[in-house]
């Protein structure tokens, strides 16, 4: 199956700074890459996603980039706020079943 | 839209008993649902893919006789942990395939915290 690696495992930034989380995947057949935010004890919430036919996608303060050749994708959060503090997971999805294989997670702390 | 519920949210049981967890898609039909387990401070591990009207597909290393999955309708999948043991204690989360902005993605239930004594 797919193997997704995620770095860093923990990240602390000052409020207003940017945060970048990186993921790599192993299966070139993966074609969908969502990012989820999970607060303690709660369900993962989809925050942004990208498909393999697109190189970059942006939604307000959040952006995702995809490099298919290198098989890596990144999450960029600008102007971070304390409420951005959570665990973030990347995932890769392989057709046809479209199962999600998750990265190991990044615990982001935004320091006020 | 795209709401997924899970029941129960929390369960405590004795070792050797079986526990059933329900996952429902409330406002959409889901031909495919997925079951994950998550240990504290760890990632979500895919256990199995649940397909309506057919047998579930289990990931390598997941015992299908231990974790019984039934997807009886387009809005309901159940996971039964049979003869539960303390090492089965975990956070179990389901997800359902649905559409967001015209694109297919997965929506997660709120999770079920299982504690086996």
């Amino acid at each position: 199956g797919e193997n997704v690696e995620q770095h860093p495992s923990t990240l602390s930034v000052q409020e207003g700074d940017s945060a970048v989380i990186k993921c790599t995947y192993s299966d070139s057949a993966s074609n969908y890459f969502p990012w989820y935010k999970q607060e303690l004890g709660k369900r993962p919430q989809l925050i942004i996603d990208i498909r393999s036919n697109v190189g970059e996608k942006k939604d307000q303060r959040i952006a995702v980039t995809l490099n298919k050749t290198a098989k890596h994708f990144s999450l960029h959060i600008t102007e971070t706020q304390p409420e951005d503090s959570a665990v973030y997971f990347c995932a890769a999805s392989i057709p046809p079943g479209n199962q999600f294989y998750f990265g190991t997670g990044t615990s982001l702390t935004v320091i006020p | 839209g795209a709401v997924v519920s899970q029941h129960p949210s929390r369960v405590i049981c004795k070792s050797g008993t079986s526990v059933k967890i329900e996952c429902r898609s409330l406002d959409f039909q889901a031909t495919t649902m997925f079951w994950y387990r998550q240990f504290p401070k760890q990632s979500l591990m895919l256990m199995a893919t649940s397909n309506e009207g057919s047998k579930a597909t289990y990931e390598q290393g997941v015992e299908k006789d231990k974790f019984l999955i039934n997807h009886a309708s387009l809005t309901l999948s159940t996971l039964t942990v049979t003869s539960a043991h303390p090492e089965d204690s975990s956070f179990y989360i389901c997800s359902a395939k649905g559409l967001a902005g015209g694109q297919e993605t997965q929506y997660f239930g709120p999770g079920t915290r299982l504690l086996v004594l």
Side-chain angles (χ1 to χ4, degrees), chain B:
Chain B
V3 178
V4 177
S5 71
Q6 235 177 289
H7 179 79
S9 59
R10 187 183 299 259
V11 58
I12 301 173
C13 69
K14 292 182 179 179
S15 185
T17 59
S18 294
V19 175
K20 180 185 283 189
I21 303 170
E22 294 185 348
C23 178
R24 293 181 185 273
S25 56
L26 297 185
D27 53 358
F28 66 104
Q29 293 183 330
T31 54
T32 304
M33 293 183 175
F34 303 91
W35 287 95
Y36 299 84
R37 68 187 295 182
Q38 184 177 34
F39 292 107
K41 297 186 178 180
Q42 293 191 23
S43 188
L44 294 95
M45 185 195 80
L46 179 65
M47 298 175 66
T49 302
S50 172
N51 299 298
E52 187 267 337
S54 64
K55 290 183 178 180
T57 304
Y58 290 82
E59 294 297 303
Q60 191 173 12
V62 178
E63 300 175 59
K64 59 182 180 181
D65 295 330
K66 171 78 173 174
F67 299 100
L68 300 179
I69 292 172
N70 183 23
H71 197 149
S73 75
L74 287 172
T75 58
L76 174 64
S77 175
T78 60
L79 168 68
T80 301
V81 183
T82 62
S83 186
H85 288 94
E87 57 265 31
D88 297 324
S89 300
S90 187
F91 192 50
Y92 292 86
I93 308 179
C94 70
S95 71
K97 270 189 184 179
L99 291 177
Q103 301 281 358
E104 194 171 70
T105 188
Q106 288 186 31
Y107 293 93
F108 284 85
T112 296
R113 193 162 301 281
L114 171 64
L115 177 61
V116 185
L117 302 176

